[in-house]
Amino acid sequence: MFSINSECILSKKSEDIPPFYVMEVLESAQALEAEGRHIIHLEVGEPDFPTAPHICEAACAAIRRGATKYTHSQGLPSLREAIVESYQQKFGVELSPDQIIVTSGTSPALLIVFMALLEKMDEVIMSNPHYACYPNFVKYLGGTPVFVYTSETNGFALEPETVRQCLSPNTKAILINSPSNPGGHVMSPENLQGLAEIADERGIPIVSDEIYQGLIYGGNDHTILEYTKNAFVLNGFSKLYAMTGWRLGYIICPPECVRAIQKIHQNFFICANSFVQEAGIAALKGPQDHVDEMVHTYNTRRQYMLKRLIEMGLEVRKEPMGAFYVLADARRYGSDSLELSRRILNEAGVAVTPGIDFGNGAEGYLRFSYANSIENIKEGMDRLEAFLEKELEGLEIL
């Protein structure tokens, strides 16, 4: 009988890809909950708000009228027009609907962009720390992530002069994320301008992940497109409109790159969900009161969490002003953030994300999400404080 050697089935790159630790923390927390434990979730970056009713109704209405077929591979023209209008109103940026590729979330969008840009051994410059999955996209496509160690005092942002020092003949893109995950920081206009100048001088595109755009708590929001046209912008509806499960995102491409991106999308994804695109139109063109209320609520939680974390001895050297994260320095309690997060979960019943998930530049840190109710955040902070007090007593005895 013909037999298959199971050791030869999987590719080496599939076996070598690291776990996404925040998801492993979530799954461990869910296992404890199944045993009857009460867990406070401060690990996952997912809005705890429901999607607004008018957005849900738009999707239901689309289904009822039979909008369940394939759309244009770039997305519904009306949705692309709404995206263009949104960027013009918010940032004064002039775009064409033809520059938009609507995708099933921003993760496929990032994959498509790097599929279009990268050959084997091409380099992508990115910050360290960074969103956990960024280097995995690059490596899986045969590219090489080039990590730039950043400073917390600058919000872990890429500095233009440091980026210049990392440029090589193999540099194919500069990846940025603002407002950022894991730090919750917003890049300054000066940094964005400096990186844009590099892109224009060297012909190296910026890939800008702007999925947390709109979630800011002071100052003005920005897009890289205010500073350069040599950029691929990734954005979507998951965070600002509390639509994570809807899986709706988009790419804004330089005009000369649209056709290549479109062909990749056609081959690998065909198109985004048709009725979900109708929901995206309602999100952009409908009332925004729920967004304003959500941002106000996040800010209240942010201020409370930040105060409590600092009071209990976790250092935050620059106030995070965007997204819904606080990345706090916990190195006084040990350098192994994964082990510390496991102990906090098992002993205190609080799920937090280990800093190592975001690169060794965040090892010893813990990321806290305030995408949870203020009541749960208070309970989580109380439990964490009690755990850390015991931990500190043990360290002092040693």
Side-chain angles (χ1 to χ4, degrees):
M1 179 181 290
F2 180 75
S3 62
I4 298 176
N5 182 351
S6 61
E7 294 182 359
C8 298
I9 292 175
L10 299 176
S11 67
K12 186 176 187 302
K13 63 183 178 182
S14 69
E15 294 182 332
D16 289 346
I17 194 167
F20 193 4
Y21 285 117
V22 65
M23 297 308 297
E24 302 221 326
V25 171
L26 173 63
E27 290 156 12
S28 296
Q30 290 170 335
L32 290 174
E33 287 173 320
E35 297 172 1
R37 291 280 304 276
H38 178 248
I39 304 298
I40 302 293
H41 290 273
L42 304 179
E43 80 280 34
V44 178
E46 181 173 36
D48 59 309
F49 298 92
T51 304
H54 70 277
I55 299 174
C56 297
E57 178 51 36
C60 293
I63 292 171
R64 286 194 293 266
R65 68 171 183 269
T68 57
K69 306 296 184 181
Y70 293 139
T71 72
H72 191 287
S73 59
Q74 286 186 238
L76 292 172
S78 51
L79 175 54
R80 288 184 276 140
E81 289 166 2
I83 293 167
V84 167
E85 183 180 338
S86 172
Y87 268 74
Q88 199 285 325
Q89 290 177 346
K90 291 178 180 177
F91 307 111
V93 172
E94 297 293 336
L95 301 169
S96 165
D98 292 337
Q99 291 178 248
I100 312 296
I101 308 283
V102 179
T103 60
S104 297
T106 52
S107 291
L110 186 61
L111 179 64
I112 291 167
V113 168
F114 283 144
M115 288 172 75
L117 290 178
L118 298 181
E119 304 282 2
K120 190 173 183 180
M121 303 306 292
D122 281 343
E123 297 174 351
V124 178
I125 294 174
M126 64 185 71
S127 64
N128 188 358
H130 47 71
Y131 171 58
C133 300
Y134 286 158
N136 301 330
F137 280 98
V138 174
K139 290 178 183 177
Y140 216 81
L141 294 171
T144 302
V146 175
F147 300 114
V148 177
Y149 287 89
T150 53
S151 168
E152 185 178 357
T153 58
N154 188 36
F156 299 110
L158 287 176
E159 294 278 3
E161 289 310 310
T162 309
V163 169
R164 285 185 186 277
Q165 295 169 16
C166 296
L167 296 173
S168 82
N170 293 327
T171 303
K172 206 61 179 288
I174 300 166
L175 176 58
I176 64 174
N177 174 213
S178 179
S180 72
N181 177 12
H185 297 290
V186 181
M187 290 184 73
S188 71
E190 293 76 18
N191 266 20
L192 293 170
Q193 179 65 55
L195 294 172
E197 289 172 1
I198 295 173
D200 292 339
E201 291 167 9
R202 303 292 291 268
I204 299 168
I206 293 176
V207 179
S208 182
D209 182 354
E210 301 179 1
I211 189 60
Y212 294 97
Q213 199 175 77
L215 296 177
I216 62 168
Y217 315 104
N220 295 318
D221 212 351
H222 292 281
T223 174
I224 192 62
L225 295 174
E226 295 173 70
Y227 306 95
T228 180
K229 295 180 180 179
N230 189 16
F232 295 85
V233 167
L234 314 175
N235 209 331
F237 298 79
S238 292
K239 311 300 183 180
L240 187 61
Y241 291 101
M243 294 174 65
T244 50
W246 296 74
R247 309 313 303 136
L248 185 63
Y250 54 88
I251 310 165
I252 303 174
C253 307
E256 65 274 15
C257 300
V258 170
R259 183 57 177 154
I261 298 287
Q262 180 191 14
K263 289 189 295 181
I264 295 171
H265 193 234
Q266 288 172 336
N267 274 274
F268 290 93
F269 299 100
I270 301 179
C271 68
N273 296 328
S274 54
F275 50 88
V276 171
Q277 293 185 57
E278 298 279 0
I281 297 168
L284 290 173
K285 299 184 77 68
Q288 304 295 306
D289 295 356
H290 64 292
V291 174
D292 296 337
E293 292 172 6
M294 185 170 63
V295 172
H296 176 76
T297 301
Y298 279 142
N299 193 30
T300 300
R301 298 171 181 178
R302 178 188 70 92
Q303 292 170 331
Y304 176 81
M305 176 180 279
L306 196 59
K307 180 174 180 290
R308 289 292 306 273
L309 290 172
I310 292 171
E311 286 176 348
M312 64 182 77
L314 296 174
E315 293 191 56
V316 182
R317 297 175 184 86
K318 182 177 176 64
E319 182 178 356
M321 298 298 291
F324 33 63
Y325 305 114
V326 178
L327 186 64
D329 188 344
R331 285 177 292 184
R332 66 185 299 193
Y333 299 100
S335 58
D336 188 339
S337 61
L338 183 58
E339 177 59 24
L340 181 59
S341 69
R342 285 173 176 159
R343 291 190 55 218
I344 292 170
L345 175 61
N346 288 310
E347 297 176 32
V350 181
V352 301
T353 306
I356 192 61
D357 210 13
F358 310 106
N360 57 11
E363 178 59 301
Y365 286 71
L366 298 172
R367 190 195 72 175
F368 300 85
S369 168
Y370 46 89
N372 204 332
S373 70
I374 192 68
E375 293 78 16
N376 282 336
I377 292 172
K378 287 179 178 178
E379 174 65 22
M381 293 295 100
D382 289 343
R383 294 184 188 184
L384 179 66
E385 185 172 31
F387 171 88
L388 293 179
E389 285 177 353
K390 287 176 59 179
E391 194 72 5
L392 202 55
E393 289 174 4
L395 291 172
E396 288 173 351
I397 291 173
L398 292 175

Coordinates of all heavy atoms in Angstrom, one line a residue, residues 40 46 48 53 61 69 72 82 156 161 190 199 204 219 248 252 277 312 327 336 339 347 355 368 394-395:
I40 N -10.1 38.2 33.2 CA -10.2 39.6 32.6 C -9.3 39.7 31.4 O -8.1 39.5 31.5 CB -9.7 40.7 33.7 CG1 -10.6 40.6 35.0 CG2 -9.8 42.1 33.1 CD1 -12.0 40.9 34.8
E46 N -9.3 44.0 20.1 CA -10.6 43.9 19.4 C -11.6 44.8 20.2 O -11.8 44.7 21.4 CB -11.1 42.5 19.4 CG -12.4 42.4 18.7 CD -12.8 40.9 18.5 OE1 -12.6 40.1 19.4 OE2 -13.4 40.6 17.4
D48 N -14.6 46.2 22.0 CA -15.7 45.5 22.7 C -17.1 46.1 22.4 O -18.1 45.7 23.0 CB -15.4 45.6 24.2 CG -15.4 47.1 24.8 OD1 -14.6 47.8 24.2 OD2 -16.0 47.4 25.7
P53 N -25.9 49.8 14.5 CA -27.1 49.2 13.9 C -27.3 49.6 12.4 O -27.7 48.7 11.6 CB -28.2 49.8 14.8 CG -27.6 50.1 16.1 CD -26.2 50.5 15.8
A61 N -29.9 44.5 4.5 CA -30.7 44.9 3.3 C -30.1 44.5 2.0 O -30.8 44.1 1.0 CB -30.8 46.5 3.4
K69 N -23.4 38.2 -4.9 CA -22.6 37.7 -6.0 C -21.2 38.4 -5.9 O -21.0 39.3 -5.1 CB -23.3 38.1 -7.3 CG -24.7 37.6 -7.4 CD -24.8 36.1 -7.4 CE -26.3 35.6 -7.6 NZ -26.4 34.1 -7.5
H72 N -16.8 43.6 -8.6 CA -15.6 44.0 -9.3 C -14.4 43.6 -8.4 O -14.5 43.7 -7.2 CB -15.5 45.5 -9.6 CG -14.5 45.9 -10.5 ND1 -13.1 46.0 -10.1 CD2 -14.5 46.3 -11.8 CE1 -12.4 46.4 -11.1 NE2 -13.2 46.6 -12.2
A82 N -16.6 56.3 -1.8 CA -16.7 56.7 -0.4 C -15.4 56.8 0.3 O -15.1 57.7 1.1 CB -17.7 55.7 0.4
F156 N 8.6 54.6 20.1 CA 9.0 53.5 19.2 C 8.9 53.8 17.7 O 8.7 52.9 16.9 CB 8.3 52.2 19.6 CG 8.5 51.8 21.0 CD1 7.4 51.8 21.9 CD2 9.7 51.3 21.5 CE1 7.6 51.4 23.2 CE2 9.9 50.8 22.8 CZ 8.8 50.9 23.7
E161 N 16.7 59.4 10.0 CA 18.1 59.3 9.9 C 18.6 57.9 10.2 O 19.5 57.4 9.5 CB 18.9 60.3 10.8 CG 18.8 61.7 10.3 CD 19.1 61.9 8.8 OE1 20.2 61.3 8.4 OE2 18.3 62.5 8.1
E190 N 6.7 65.5 11.6 CA 8.1 65.6 11.2 C 8.7 64.2 10.8 O 9.5 64.1 9.8 CB 8.9 66.2 12.3 CG 8.6 67.6 12.7 CD 7.3 67.8 13.5 OE1 6.8 66.8 14.0 OE2 6.7 68.9 13.5
A199 N 11.5 58.1 0.8 CA 10.8 57.4 -0.3 C 10.9 58.1 -1.6 O 11.1 57.4 -2.7 CB 9.3 57.3 0.2
I204 N 11.9 54.3 -3.0 CA 11.5 53.1 -2.1 C 10.1 53.4 -1.5 O 10.0 54.4 -0.8 CB 12.5 52.9 -1.0 CG1 13.9 52.6 -1.6 CG2 12.1 51.8 -0.1 CD1 15.0 52.6 -0.6
G219 N -4.4 66.1 19.4 CA -3.6 66.4 18.2 C -4.4 66.0 17.0 O -5.6 65.6 17.0
L248 N -13.1 43.5 6.4 CA -13.2 44.5 5.3 C -12.1 45.5 5.4 O -12.0 46.2 6.4 CB -14.6 45.2 5.3 CG -14.9 46.1 4.1 CD1 -14.9 45.3 2.8 CD2 -16.2 46.9 4.3
I252 N -4.7 51.5 -0.8 CA -4.6 52.7 -1.6 C -3.3 52.5 -2.3 O -2.2 52.6 -1.6 CB -4.8 54.0 -0.9 CG1 -6.1 54.0 -0.1 CG2 -4.7 55.2 -1.9 CD1 -6.2 55.3 0.8
Q277 N -19.3 44.8 1.8 CA -18.9 46.1 1.2 C -20.0 47.1 1.3 O -19.8 48.3 1.5 CB -18.5 45.9 -0.3 CG -17.3 45.1 -0.5 CD -16.9 45.0 -2.0 OE1 -16.7 46.0 -2.6 NE2 -16.8 43.8 -2.5
M312 N 1.5 51.3 40.0 CA 2.0 50.0 40.5 C 3.4 49.7 40.0 O 3.9 48.6 40.2 CB 1.0 48.9 40.1 CG 0.9 48.6 38.6 SD -0.4 47.3 38.3 CE -1.9 48.1 38.5
L327 N 1.9 49.9 26.2 CA 3.0 48.9 26.3 C 3.9 49.4 27.5 O 4.5 50.5 27.4 CB 3.8 49.0 25.0 CG 4.9 47.9 24.9 CD1 4.4 46.5 24.9 CD2 5.8 48.2 23.6
D336 N 11.7 37.7 31.1 CA 11.0 36.8 30.3 C 9.5 37.2 30.3 O 8.7 36.8 31.2 CB 11.1 35.3 30.8 CG 10.6 34.3 29.9 OD1 9.7 34.6 29.1 OD2 11.0 33.1 30.0
E339 N 6.8 34.2 30.1 CA 6.6 33.5 31.4 C 5.8 34.4 32.3 O 4.9 33.9 33.0 CB 8.0 33.1 32.0 CG 7.8 32.4 33.3 CD 7.0 31.1 33.3 OE1 6.9 30.5 32.2 OE2 6.5 30.8 34.4
E347 N -2.2 32.9 37.8 CA -2.3 33.2 39.2 C -3.3 34.4 39.5 O -3.9 34.4 40.5 CB -0.9 33.6 39.7 CG 0.0 32.4 39.6 CD 1.5 32.7 40.1 OE1 1.6 33.6 41.0 OE2 2.4 32.2 39.5
G355 N 5.5 41.1 25.7 CA 6.2 42.0 24.8 C 7.0 41.2 23.7 O 7.1 41.7 22.6
F368 N -1.0 46.0 27.2 CA -2.4 46.0 27.8 C -3.3 46.6 26.8 O -3.1 47.7 26.3 CB -2.4 46.7 29.1 CG -1.5 46.1 30.2 CD1 -0.2 46.5 30.2 CD2 -2.0 45.3 31.1 CE1 0.7 46.0 31.2 CE2 -1.2 44.7 32.1 CZ 0.2 45.1 32.1
G394 N 8.6 38.8 46.8 CA 9.5 37.7 46.6 C 10.9 38.0 46.1 O 11.9 37.5 46.5
L395 N 10.9 39.0 45.2 CA 12.2 39.5 44.7 C 13.0 40.1 45.7 O 14.3 40.0 45.8 CB 11.9 40.5 43.5 CG 11.3 39.9 42.2 CD1 11.0 41.0 41.2 CD2 12.3 38.9 41.6

